[in-house]
Amino acid sequence: MKIIIAGCGKIGGSVLASLAQEGHDLTAIDNKSEVITELTNVYDVMGVCGNAADCDTLIEAGAADCGLFVAMTESDELNMLSCFLAKKMGAQNTIARIRNPEYNDSSLSFLRQHLELSMAINPELRAAQELYNILKFPSALKIETFSRRNLEMIEFQLSEESDLSGMNLLEIRKKYDANFLITCVQRGEEVFIPNGLFRLEVGDKIGLAASQPEMEKLLKMLNSLKSQAKNILILGGSKTAYYLAKMFESSGSAKIIEQDEQRCLELASVLPSATIIHGNGAEQELLMEEGLATCDAFVALTGIDEENILLGIFAEQQKVPKTVVKVNRDELASLASKIGLGSIVSPKVITSNILVQYARALENSSGAVVETLYKIFDGKAEALEFKVTAESKLTGVPLKDVRLKPNILIGGIMRGRKTIIPSGSDAIIPGDRVVVISAGNRINNLGDILA
Amino acid sequence: MNRKMVFYTCGQMLLLEAVLLLLPVATALIYRESCVLSLLWAMAAALLAGFLIMLVSKPKDTVIYSKEGFVITALTWVMFSAIGALPFVISGEIPSYIDAFFETVSGFTTTGASILTDIESMSKGLLMWRSFTHWVGGMGILVMVMAVAPMTTDRSIHIMRAEMPGPVVGKLVPRARQTAKILYVIYFILTVLEIILLLCGGMNLFEAMIYTFGTAGTGGFGCYGDSMAGFTPYLQWVVTAFMFIFGINFNLYYLALIKRFKAVFSSEELWTYTGIVLISATAIALNVRSMYPTLGEAVRHSAFQVMSIVSTSGFATTDFNLWPDFSRIIIVILMVIGACAGSTAGGLKVSRVIMLFKSVKRELKRMLHPRSVQTVRFEGKPLEDKTISGVCIYFAIYMAIVFTLLLLISWEPFDFETKFTTVLTCFNNVGPGLGAVGPSGNFAGYSDITKLILSVAMLLGRLEIYPMIFALSPSVWTKKS
């Protein structure tokens, strides 16, 4: 599909990289020629240097016949305008990054409707949502939800004390009476879809799929259920911090430490129930004073990845029950998880995932379409949710008789409000939603998983 | 440097050469000529070498950067020429390997400089190969591979940039491969069109193909000793028109295809190119008026010659060596200018000349008004300083190479005019020069060493200097760079 990406900064560039991997025909628009030169050197994409809301630039980039136009520049207004123009020129779908909280309230639907946007994306809000999910369920490093939270998949790392280490999957099944599935295992740099004889080791990162109540039961049995975080300390008063604090307004208390006085005042006026502290969060003295040692969770959201990582390590040392850090650069993210910071949130990755999912869904408008897509385990595997149509070849056959491609697993079936963790005798029927885990294969529609 | 990837890609290219040799093989079979064996041997050599190289250097890491792009391009061109020369030697029609190498390099680089004294005695299969090399080299060997076969790397833009002429190489569509395909489709359609028009004028298919390949690649090899002089005015005009057409930036054809005519007609380079051609042709026509019986004939010869030189083809309908000095100097200037960037022609390229003049103007103005701030605009857009300094540096290296080459061949027993135009004509991929290497002469009189030097000069010119320089510099080849 022909996709144009306007604005190739941190977020736009990462979106471009993941869409390039998907094999789309990409055109990048940016007003800095260095950015364009760099991108065209690394990826097989066309670059156009210019203002994304300039008609000439858009014509040159071919907005008239593109399948998807994505505006990811710094400015919300520019994104809206360029999406609007692209749409009027003939772009089939448009996606704009709109992250100003003022636009993200009730006016968003009005904007979307009248600008004819296919989607408005707010990376900071999405990041805040992911943070919220993790903080609600601190046992997991990461949590992915499917089909309106009917099915959850959590990632967690096996520690020395964990009962699971050293057991193979069949033994685990026998020992624990709960309905769950170990969907994939990451050991070092490699990701496996395990079979029954796969033996878990200390240090493995595993993905567990189960329905929400089952998951709590299971974690209780494993003695690794941590209680929901209520009292959180946020470092850095970014937009993400604002959205996160807003979500905690009803269910807990949030404290934000921010260096810039002006920003503190702004936050204080929009977040009346949160505590806003003006000070340098990099000073450990201040963190201790503001109760780092007693809070339920520490969230580092400053604009500097390195600072987030270092303060995250400090918080772990202070035995804070849950530490989450924002890391935008991929190479730093993998370093951070090596030194023991498990929960990492990256707005860039979240946004890229959403766009990859959207582009895949556009590519095959017929049949079963990708409804949700998560890149899991540092992007080495994918979890996808599909809605099963009557035409699908999978329906009506018990799963043990369905021949799947290697390294693919059906991780869950949602039928109405019921969640089924599939065993060999279960069969898929039309109308189900299924979650497919794939390591290495690119799955576009449900038919792709068959061998 | 990723050496394995460099060699692997070059190996792939050699396989392509084996496929390309099928056309002359077919020609030789049709005319039942004995040279078919020599062509088949060359084909076998290309296949064997290609497979061996690919076998030894299967790369694990397929990432390439710009330095690999440069080296791949340079190596491919040298290897193509080395193997492409084999049929001439094996068949015995050009007994000396150095001569054959010179002839093949001249073919692939679309120069058209020849060491042959008796073209008519060559077999048709080999003549077809000799002219076909023009067609292949015109648009680019690697660009062709990119169009027909999937590349192992997705950073093929580096290769494309190294091979395509012009100061800035962009893509027409997002994918490098698709861009290469579009370019070749346009190239192919124009080629077929010219063949048809030449057939209408009474050429046979063999002649039409030979002269079309010569025009399309802006090469200049023909199949007669007098180049185009023996053909009718209609045929000469057709070739004149197509030399002009193949000298235009191919991106403009694509823009016309997608109906962006405004962009085509506002192209500064195209108008300058047209202006240069018209002014030079008029000036020469007036200058040589008295040498021909009618004004029409003078115009025809002058238009043909101007087009032939500015597009760096090098066909001739008349011996312009006999023209007055005014016309001959215009011819020499046109050799250096060349045609548009992104075409199949050689030379400095019109766009570079425009940028040079504009930046000169800016510098002069800056001397008068030291605090003035100005941007240089080209094709309606302000040019980056990086591009401008790139063009200036290119020009400096260009001049340095011209004089170095001149010094290197200075000991040859020819007059200054011959040697000077020899260097210009080879380096700019034109073909004929003045004096002993004029349209009626050839390069056979040079010694073997000079022929090798001139071969390098032609490659330097076709690949726009940098790839050859980098391929020859040891620092690029060290493992750690």
Side-chain angles (χ1 to χ4, degrees), chain A residues 119-364:
Chain A
M119 192 201 288
I121 200 163
N122 185 345
E124 280 79 7
L125 180 61
R126 303 271 184 168
Q129 270 157 355
E130 181 160 332
L131 284 166
Y132 184 71
N133 284 343
I134 293 174
L135 295 174
K136 279 285 214 191
F137 205 73
S139 330
L141 293 177
K142 240 186 192 154
I143 177 158
E144 271 94 33
T145 61
F146 297 93
S147 179
R148 288 178 220 97
R149 315 210 59 165
N150 276 329
L151 181 79
E152 289 183 337
M153 199 173 105
I154 64 165
E155 287 175 28
F156 77 104
Q157 197 148 20
L158 296 184
S159 59
E160 306 243 339
E161 305 95 69
S162 173
D163 303 334
L164 293 182
S165 352
M167 292 170 81
N168 76 23
L169 301 200
L170 284 174
E171 293 161 5
I172 295 172
R173 263 271 151 119
K174 254 180 233 153
K175 188 168 167 196
Y176 298 99
D177 171 38
N179 221 345
F180 71 98
L181 196 63
I182 295 181
T183 54
C184 43
V185 180
Q186 180 176 21
R187 183 170 296 164
E189 292 290 301
E190 269 184 290
V191 172
F192 309 91
I193 301 275
N195 59 18
L197 298 172
F198 192 92
R199 201 166 286 282
L200 298 178
E201 287 172 11
V202 174
D204 284 354
K205 213 172 170 189
I206 63 171
L208 274 179
S211 67
Q212 214 178 353
E214 288 284 326
M215 189 69 86
E216 267 178 43
K217 200 170 109 193
L218 176 69
L219 289 172
K220 219 172 263 165
M221 283 192 277
L222 292 173
N223 296 323
S224 55
L225 186 69
K226 294 180 191 166
S227 60
Q228 201 174 349
K230 287 229 154 68
N231 173 13
I232 62 167
L233 182 62
I234 303 173
L235 186 65
S238 59
K239 288 196 182 73
T240 316
Y242 160 76
Y243 289 122
L244 184 61
K246 193 103 190 145
M247 289 167 192
F248 270 91
E249 258 181 352
S250 55
S251 62
S253 73
K255 191 181 272 179
I256 301 178
I257 303 179
E258 163 63 39
Q259 224 171 348
D260 182 47
E261 197 172 0
Q262 193 55 39
R263 179 72 190 148
C264 286
L265 285 171
E266 283 167 32
L267 285 171
S269 68
V270 288
L271 292 168
S273 65
T275 315
I276 315 291
I277 309 287
H278 172 217
N280 183 0
E283 283 168 19
Q284 298 179 349
E285 190 59 36
L286 178 78
L287 287 176
M288 297 311 285
E289 190 184 335
E290 291 307 329
L292 179 69
T294 52
C295 69
D296 295 337
F298 174 73
V299 186
L301 295 178
T302 70
I304 304 159
D305 288 348
E306 291 85 343
E307 195 171 313
N308 290 341
I309 294 173
L310 288 176
L311 290 167
I313 295 170
F314 177 66
E316 295 263 278
Q317 280 171 356
Q318 301 304 316
K319 302 267 184 289
V320 177
K322 183 75 191 174
T323 306
V324 192
V325 293
K326 182 184 98 168
V327 178
N328 243 333
R329 280 168 46 200
D330 299 335
E331 61 275 18
L332 285 181
S334 60
L335 270 181
S337 59
K338 265 195 202 110
I339 51 180
L341 284 175
S343 285
I344 292 161
V345 166
S346 155
K348 181 172 112 167
V349 170
I350 298 170
T351 314
S352 303
N353 285 353
I354 294 169
L355 277 157
V356 167
Q357 168 197 337
Y358 194 86
R360 277 196 207 172
L362 277 184
E363 261 191 328
N364 52 320

Side-chain angles (χ1 to χ4, degrees), chain A residues 23 25-26 33 41 44-45, chain B residues 155 158 161 171 174-176 384:
Chain A
D25 285 350
L26 294 173
S33 63
N41 277 341
D44 193 2
V45 301
Chain B
R155 298 192 176 186
H158 292 304
R161 224 180 259 155
K171 288 193 263 185
R175 300 293 187 93
E384 280 178 65

Side-chain angles (χ1 to χ4, degrees), chain B residues 108-129:
Chain B
F108 278 120
T109 59
T110 73
T111 307
S114 180
I115 46 84
L116 291 176
T117 44
D118 185 10
I119 298 172
E120 283 86 348
S121 71
M122 295 280 289
S123 58
K124 294 216 159 52
L126 289 180
L127 280 178
M128 180 58 87
W129 174 234

Side-chain angles (χ1 to χ4, degrees), chain A residues 24 30 87 107 188 212-213 277 369 408 417 440:
Chain A
H24 295 290
D30 202 288
K87 184 79 194 178
S107 59
Q212 214 178 353
I277 309 287
V369 169
I408 284 189
R417 310 185 91 192

